[in-house]
Every structure is written in structure tokens, then in C-alpha cells.
Amino acid sequence: MAESAAKDPKTTVRALLGILVAVIIAYALLVRVAYSAPEPGSELSLDRLFRAAESGQIMSATLLDQDSVVVGQLCPAGVRGTSATGVTCPDRPQRFHSTYPASDVGTNQLIERLGTRAQVKVDRQSEKAIAKLLMSFVLPLILLATLFGIIMVAKGGDSSMADIAGFGRLGRKRQREKKAGTGVTFADVAGQDTAVLELREVIDYLKDPAKFDAVGAIAPKGVLLFGPPGCGKTLMARAVAGESGVPFVSVSGTEFVESLVGVGAARVRDLFAQVRELAPAIVFIDEIDAVGRRREGEGVSGGEREQTLNQLLVEMDGFEVAAGVVLIAATNRPDILDSALLRPGRFDRQITLEAPDVEGRKAILQVHAANRNIAPDVDFALLARRTPGFTGADLASVMNEAVLLAIRDGSEEATINSHHLSEAVQRVLHGPHRGKLLAPEERARIAVHETGHALVAAACGRGGDVVRVSVVARGRGVGSANIGIGDRALLTEADMEVQVAIAMGGLVAEELVYGGSSTMPEDDISRATGLAKLMVGVYGMSDELGRVQILNRFAGGFLGGDGTSVDSSVSEQVLHTFAMEVKDLVAAAEARAIAILSKNRSHLESMATRLQEEETLEGRALEDFLAPMTGAGAGVFNGGAPPRRGAGSSKPGETALTRPRR
């Protein structure tokens, strides 16, 4: 039955639907049979029936057992004779019916009281008993079985009845879909030149394996792609298959994870059996960390995840390179993969896909702009410089948002201009415009806050990284100052101190102009505190604690993520010193921002006023405001290094901006 269902699921579905209709019709007929009770004559209550029996008015009575109804004939003038000799009625008899409680005691009592003179019979109603049995047990089971069969067969393929007999199989539908290849080539990939170069050998091997055999070379058996989300790992794997022109079988690591022991291992075996039939071919396992997580500390040895991983390791060892099968896997979490999975002979090549640099971002934007109408004023080089840290997925989203904005504006043939792209970047970063109306005093405070960030950045030598300042509410924020960090692989201690000072710039600007802060600096304080904790607890940038690590990074994302936890061996005294060092760093950064903005308060107020009027400053207008601030923060604290202890003054009568921190 499983094989016939797998071969022709439509025929099976039609047959099951016919059974379902027949069951429903049968159920309706049985209801009619089981619950249709004859009610001849007038209705009598039980006490009226008993009085009639005592007065000798009941000629005959029949107890319908399933219906719990008494039917019979009643003689108003009283019957003559007995039940043994026969009874007669001098008048015309009347038919009646009466309902009684369905119980053995009640039935026996009723028979005794009616049978003194009348003829009493009991009708067991066997046909109704059978009908109720069928309705209560048989038909519901048939109905449930039919519905279950329809659900299992309706979709066919992966959800067919064949999977009952082979629950550990991956669907053959995937195999049929991937025989034609992906249609994606390296022309559709940009910004990952190093990865493309490394993968060229895989393509050459799949196209001409004899070339490698002739010189005794062994092509990579497995390739592991890892990097942050959105960098194009899946696209890269599809491009390899498209360039080589071989079938591409794609699965997810979660497809092997099941609660039933042995199912994951069976699916791994089935996957490689399918691929061997298609060879030469590429197997792509996305999110392999779902099945390839480290086995240490798993708990019970031999669990489902461990069995699945073991089977994957065996299969990777089992197929020969000459078979023409290359395994490509992708993950955002290479730090949690099992060491046995990463050894040479399994994943011979491990390629990192990182966020593209400025040239890579420009190339990606041009790829996505190939089939779109682009206005002459669009400068992709400038846009690439203004999107540091954007991945390929982010840039694709920027281009798509720009097209949607062009359509919304009703531009001819959806032509994308520089304004659309600039707005699209903001939508990707901060979300769409909320359209929230703010009071004039709120807009003024927001303008001062965002201007403070921008001016401190410019004074600390980061003016070129300030891309845009706006008081337009987007997402959860009410304003924004876009300050990139550029394409940098590492940061110095001075760079991190500058970042903390920039984060405190908005709060300081509010206190300087309005004499107090607001709820806006919540994220700024969180960022400044987090940076200071990393400086002291992770990177050892502390004079008091020295070059020791107090915080441990835990696996919260790609290559460890940003999560930290306090080392269990750290004493209370060290933790207290750690907290004081963090506080001093933030206080020193705040003092640095105070010195910069106090010296340039008139410039702060004029730029905030202009920002409030224009709502957004970018491009040449922003550069004109930031140009006078370049280098204004140098030498503020002995050559640019802010103090660690006792920042500010301790003279009486100081304002809140220069209060001592310790």
C-alpha cells in the first residue's frame, strides 16, 4: 500500500475521499435509525401512568428498551378481564406514550406496576443497539483513519504514506529539482574574491577529475564556509554548482535532527545514497552546527544528535574523492563544531566569508543594480563608503528598498536616484519613518543630542565617518547620528576611548544646553558602559588591574559573539576594582566630551538649530559644519589621553558638567 501511495498519491487521495463521504452518509443514516422514536397517541407522565394502572385502565403496554419509552393502549372506563384471560375495553381505547428513566431498577418497577392486569412486553430494539455501537466506536475509528490517510498522502513526496515505512528518508523531490543545476554563477557573487579563488579548484575538479588524477593531486573533499549572517554562504555554494554545471543537493542541518533515535542517522545515509546516484554533484548542508555541535558535555552518550554526527563522519570518510561528490557546509558558529568534523580529510578547506570592504560593497551594489533603472546622479563608490559593515544581504535589501521607494514616488520606470538609495540605507539601519509628531521642544532637544555625537566625533578625528545626522523618528528611535567605524579589523585603546567619548556626546550636549539630561541617552550609556567593560575586562586596558582578563566571552554568535560572563575565579575585591575602572573610563570620556562641547558651544547651538530646521544633515552641508571641529579634541587631556581617575574639578560651586567622578 505504501508503494502504491507513493507512486500515485492522487488516486489514493480520491479513494480516501470517497471513503470519507461514504462514512458521513452512513453516519447520517445511523443517526436516523438510532434516534427516531415513535410517539403514538397522547403523552402521559409516569405518575399519571401509574394511577391509570392502579385503576385498571391500561389494556397493553410495550417497553422500548433503547428509547426508554412506554407505548400502549388505555381504556378510560377501565378494562375487563385479566392479562391471563385477556382484557377488553367497553369504550374505544386510546393510544399513549410515556418516557421513563433508563435503568434496570426503574424498568423492573415499571413492569411490576403495569403487569397486574395489563399485557406488558419488552422490545429490546436490537437494530438500534447495533446502530449506536457503530456510531460510537466503529465509524469514528474509520473516520479518523481516513482523515489521517488523506493528510499523509495529500502532499505526496516527503509527506506521503511511503514515509511511514521509510521515516528516515529525505524526499526524492529534492533530487529531481536539483538535477538541472542552480543557474547561479560567480557573476552573481561580488565582494568575496578570496573565497572565489579558493573555490575555483573545486569547480575544476568537478569539470575534469582526470586532470587531478594525472598529476596525483587530490581535490578538496569538503569545504566549510563560515562567516556572519548575510555574507553569501548559500549563494557561494550555489554559484560553485552553477559554474561546474553539476547537480546541487541542498539540505538544512535541522532536517537531520529528530526526537526519534536513529532517524537522523538514517537520513544522513539516505542523503549520501541519493548523491552517489547523481555524481558528480555538490551536497550543501546549511547550518551544519545544528547537527555538528561538539559532543563534549552532551549528557547521555549515544543520544540522537551524537548518532547523527557519527553517521555524518562515517559517510564523509566513506565516499572516495574519485566518486565526484563534494560536500559544502555553511555555519555562523564554527567555534562550536566538533573537532572530528574539522580535521583534514573531512573538511579539507575552511573559507571565511567576511563582510565586504568598500570595493566589495561597490561591486555588490553594481551586481544588484544590473537589471534596474539607475539615475545618472547615483555614485556607488560614495554609497559604498557610507555603508561600512553592511553584508551582501544588507546591500541587496538597500537596493530593493530603493526600488520600492522609486515606485512609491511614481518615478518614471521606477528610476532609482541618490535620494532613494540614501533613504533605503536609513530604512535598513533604523527602520521606516514612524511619522510621529514631536513637540517643538522635543525636536530641539533631539537636535542638540544628535549634534553632540557628531561634533565630538569630528573633534576626535572621526569627522569623515559621520555620514548623516537626523531628527526623523525611525523604528524605536527618535533621532540618529550615523557614525561608521570604517573597514577596520582591529581597534586600538585610543580608538575605543574615542568611541566611548562619542557615545557620551549626546548626553553631555543635553546637559550643557538644558542643564540636565533626558531619557534619550539610554542606549548611549549602555554602549559606553559595554565598551568600557570590554576594555577593562577582556582586552586588559587597565592600569589598576593590569593585563588580565576578568570577563569570558561566550558563544553568543559568529566566532564567539559579544556575550560576556564574569570569570568564576575573580574575587570580590577585583570585581570592585573592575567596576571602579569601568566607571573611571566612562567618566573620563564624559569629561573629554564636556571639554570639547563647552569650547564649541556656539557651534553646537548653531548646528542644532540648522538640524532642527532641515531635519536631516548629510553630504556637503554636514561637512561644512564638521570642518571647523577637525582636530578640536586633540590635546584636550595631555595629548589626547583622557584621565583615568578624578576627572573634572572638585572646587565648590561647580556645575553638573564638571562634577568629580570619584
Side-chain angles (χ1 to χ4, degrees), residues 43-63:
E43 182 177 6
L44 295 181
S45 61
L46 277 180
D47 57 345
R48 174 71 179 87
L49 179 63
F50 290 153
R51 288 197 300 271
E54 292 174 357
S55 61
Q57 295 179 344
I58 303 299
M59 293 183 61
S60 64
T62 302
L63 276 67

Side-chain angles (χ1 to χ4, degrees), residues 167-374:
F167 191 68
R169 297 177 184 173
L170 288 172
R172 301 286 174 172
K173 183 179 179 181
R174 178 183 293 106
Q175 173 179 326
R176 295 194 298 270
E177 289 177 348
K178 298 304 180 182
K179 281 188 176 180
T182 64
V184 180
T185 64
F186 284 143
D188 303 306
V189 180
Q192 300 292 347
D193 297 337
T194 303
V196 170
L197 182 64
E198 294 291 334
L199 291 169
R200 285 288 181 187
E201 294 176 3
V202 177
I203 298 171
D204 294 340
Y205 161 69
L206 291 171
K207 286 184 175 180
D208 187 11
K211 172 184 174 182
F212 286 76
D213 295 338
V215 296
I218 300 177
K221 182 188 293 187
V223 178
L224 178 64
L225 306 176
F226 56 87
C231 286
K233 297 182 288 295
T234 303
L235 181 65
M236 188 67 70
R238 294 172 63 86
V240 172
E243 289 283 344
S244 57
V246 300
F248 177 76
V249 180
S250 175
V251 297
S252 172
T254 57
E255 294 186 48
F256 302 109
V257 180
E258 289 287 349
S259 59
L260 300 178
V261 176
V263 173
R267 290 181 177 177
V268 171
R269 289 191 295 269
D270 186 66
L271 170 65
F272 282 90
Q274 292 184 34
V275 175
R276 289 189 184 96
E277 297 174 2
L278 295 173
I282 291 177
V283 185
F284 177 62
I285 303 180
D286 197 11
E287 305 298 344
I288 194 174
D289 53 275
V291 67
R293 189 184 294 267
R294 277 193 301 266
R295 288 169 287 185
E296 291 81 10
E298 170 125 349
V300 180
S301 178
E304 168 63 7
R305 189 187 300 274
E306 183 174 342
Q307 287 192 20
T308 306
L309 175 57
N310 290 337
Q311 186 63 47
L312 178 61
L313 298 176
V314 170
E315 292 292 341
M316 292 185 68
D317 287 336
F319 70 85
E320 298 294 335
V321 178
V325 177
V326 174
L327 177 63
I328 301 179
T331 180
N332 305 327
R333 306 281 300 278
D335 53 304
I336 66 172
L337 293 181
D338 193 88
S339 57
L341 197 63
L342 301 177
R343 73 161 175 81
R346 288 182 177 134
F347 283 111
D348 302 289
R349 189 152 298 177
Q350 300 177 20
I351 302 174
T352 304
L353 276 70
E354 299 177 339
D357 58 11
V358 62
E359 292 299 327
R361 293 195 295 274
K362 178 182 176 182
I364 293 173
L365 289 169
Q366 290 173 340
V367 167
H368 291 296
N371 298 323
R372 294 181 169 98
N373 297 321
I374 307 298

Side-chain angles (χ1 to χ4, degrees), residues 522-546:
E522 177 185 357
D523 290 338
D524 300 333
I525 294 174
S526 176
R527 174 171 172 75
T529 306
L531 286 170
K533 286 182 178 179
L534 291 177
M535 292 175 65
V536 177
V538 176
Y539 302 120
M541 299 176 181
S542 169
D543 296 334
E544 291 290 325
L545 295 175

Side-chain angles (χ1 to χ4, degrees), residues 1-2 5 148-149 152-153 157-169:
M1 178 181 178
F148 179 75
M152 293 297 294
V153 176
D158 291 345
S159 299
S160 67
M161 289 290 287
D163 282 345
I164 297 177
F167 191 68
R169 297 177 184 173

Side-chain angles (χ1 to χ4, degrees), residues 537 548-553 564-572 574-575 578:
V548 296
Q549 192 173 70
I550 299 174
L551 302 179
N552 295 324
R553 303 289 285 269
T564 58
S565 61
V566 179
D567 194 313
S568 58
S569 62
V570 176
S571 65
E572 292 292 334
V574 173
L575 285 178
F578 167 72

Side-chain angles (χ1 to χ4, degrees), residues 148 180 391 610 628:
F148 179 75
T391 64
R610 178 70 177 276

